[in-house]
Each structure stands twice: as structure tokens, then as C-alpha cells.
Amino acid sequence: MSEMNAVDRVCLPHTITSLITDFRDLGVKEGMTLIVHSSLSSLGWVSGGAEAVIRALMKVVGESGTIVMPAQSAGNSDPAGWINPPVPESWWPIIRESMPAFCKETTPTRGMGAIAELFRSFPGVERSNHPMYSFAAWGKNRTYITESQPLASGFGEESPLAKIYQLNGKILMIGVSHESNTSLHLSEHAGSKLQVTKSAAIVEEGKRVWKTYREIDYDSDRFDEIGFNFESQKDYRVMRIGNATCKLIDQRSLVDFGQRWFQEKSRKS
């Protein structure tokens, strides 16, 4: 681990200029492929809010690099599996019939935070076409990363996560834990995972349909444990930016570590 101390700005507002300095001090560089997980509130007061954070990242990475953020929309799913909150069973058929089909331009994110929600509609950003597990990307490799995401393997070997892996990308965590670290879902494919049935509203051949498909049962419950073990053994960079603990991690190193963890778990089960 490489730990640094930023200039103490806890009592001052963050600005685009100060965030550019901080992200560079953390190790973010021009030309990087960077997947970002973030909590805006964790930073403290930011002049310009989510927009300022996005513009600062774009300035540091530049058009020769690529910024990716998760744009997941878990609400477009079978209500039979909803637990937070659940809905009455009598509602399920109505929801399945009436749920708007996923639309890259209009479907909002859910639980991704204010920065990711704004980023998906930013000029020059492209979004992948998965009803639950889409990603938004800006920069040099935005089209490559977001095109042709498989419906039945949203975080698998042909997903945006796998393409970030191929590009030797980095993970930037701004005030969030590894529970939010989506790249570890790619690691899950290394273990023998239970297949489950999922459903979502999509557009198929120009028509709205309720589509059912099979996919592994993704589960982030152990991600904090995996991340803690990774950080105890592997090198990464960490720095406080305002009130937020921010980490810059090699995605390939983390995914490989997670794959070994899931393979070991699979052998023991």
C-alpha cells in the first residue's frame, strides 16, 4: 500500500481545480482506463457537486483515457425477488406487464450515487444495453467497453468489466467500500456459481417484451472480506480527499485475487 496525505482541505470547499490536484496526487494519470465507484457526500462540500467531480476526472484522464462508471438499474427486474422493499404478490403481474423497457437514454440508475447518475447523461458518454447491469463510459475506448454486453452474463467474460481488465484498467473508489466494487463480480465467474432465472423489460425487434434469461447468482456480500484480504497482501494507493478515503487499485490484480478466492471457496464447498 502506498499512502499519501493530501493538503488538509476539510475546512475548505472542493473545487474542480483542487480535485484535479488530489486525483493526480492519488495516482490517476492521463490515458488511464478508470472505473469509478463513488459517494459524493463522502467528500464533504464540493463547489459544483457531482458535475465538478466528473469534470475533474475528465481533465486528469483526458480524451486519450477512458472513464467508466456503473449505471445499474436493478429496479428493472422481476418483482418476485424484490426485498428492499418487497411489494405485494398481487402486484407482480401488473409490474411485469407495465415496467418500461430499458432505455439507455432515460432509464435512471439505482443505488449508484449522484456522480454516476449524472455521468450517464453527460455529453460524449455512451451506455451499454443491459437492462440491469449497464455501464457508462467516456473517452477513447468508450464504444469498445459499452458495446455488445451479453444479457445472460452481464458481469462475465464479454462484459465491460472484462474489457477494462483487457485494457489493464484501474479502479478508483471515492468514499465507498469494496461492497460497491463491481469488478469483483467478474471474479465470481471463476467459481461454480448457482444459475438463477432473471427477468427484465427490454426492447426486442422494436417491441417491448418481458424477457426471461439465466445468469449466475451474483452476490456482493463477501466483497468487503475479499477486499480486506487483498489490501493486506497487495499494493495499492490510498489517500484522504476531504472526508473521503479514496483508493486507486489495479483492476486486473484485484480480479485475479478474487478469482483465486472464489476458486478456493468452490473447492471447499
Side-chain angles (χ1 to χ4, degrees), residues 60-269:
V60 176
V61 171
E63 293 185 3
S64 63
T66 308
I67 297 171
V68 185
M69 296 192 195
Q72 296 171 34
S73 46
N76 188 358
S77 59
D78 195 326
W82 293 357
I83 58 174
N84 191 27
V87 295
E89 187 172 352
S90 61
W91 294 12
W92 297 355
I94 300 170
I95 293 170
R96 291 168 183 149
E97 183 178 350
S98 64
M99 176 72 66
F102 174 79
C103 175
K104 292 191 287 186
E105 290 74 29
T106 62
T107 299
T109 63
R110 181 174 178 179
M112 300 292 101
I115 296 169
E117 170 60 15
L118 179 61
F119 179 74
R120 71 169 178 85
S121 61
F122 231 68
V125 170
E126 297 182 17
R127 187 178 185 183
S128 62
N129 194 34
H130 195 286
M132 289 182 65
Y133 304 137
S134 67
F135 290 80
W138 172 90
K140 179 180 178 180
N141 291 304
R142 63 187 182 277
T143 300
Y144 168 69
I145 286 173
T146 57
E147 65 185 357
S148 304
Q149 184 178 6
L151 177 63
S153 186
F155 294 136
E157 295 302 323
E158 298 177 35
S159 71
L161 293 175
K163 294 173 182 177
I164 295 167
Y165 182 98
Q166 293 161 9
L167 293 167
N168 198 25
K170 306 293 182 184
I171 301 165
L172 174 60
M173 301 168 63
I174 302 174
V176 297
S177 72
H178 283 281
E179 186 178 6
S180 301
N181 199 340
T182 311
S183 292
L184 284 169
H185 284 304
L186 178 58
S187 301
E188 287 188 271
H189 282 264
S192 56
K193 290 289 290 184
L194 175 69
Q195 289 266 329
V196 294
T197 299
K198 298 182 180 180
S199 302
I202 66 170
V203 174
E204 195 170 66
E205 297 181 353
K207 297 181 179 180
R208 184 263 184 207
V209 299
W210 184 252
K211 185 77 171 184
T212 298
Y213 58 99
R214 298 282 290 175
E215 188 174 56
I216 72 169
D217 187 17
Y218 293 119
D219 183 3
S220 61
D221 286 350
R222 307 300 292 273
F223 284 7
D224 276 340
E225 178 185 350
I226 297 169
F228 175 80
N229 283 300
F230 173 86
E231 291 179 9
S232 69
Q233 299 177 38
K234 301 293 182 178
D235 188 50
Y236 67 103
R237 296 171 72 90
V238 59
M239 171 177 155
R240 285 190 69 82
I241 299 177
N243 297 324
T245 298
C246 298
K247 299 172 183 178
L248 186 66
I249 297 170
D250 181 76
Q251 194 233 28
R252 183 175 294 180
S253 179
L254 177 71
V255 169
D256 290 348
F257 184 92
Q259 286 177 339
R260 292 190 294 271
W261 192 93
F262 282 110
Q263 286 168 347
E264 181 65 23
K265 178 183 176 183
S266 180
R267 283 194 292 269
K268 291 179 178 179
S269 63

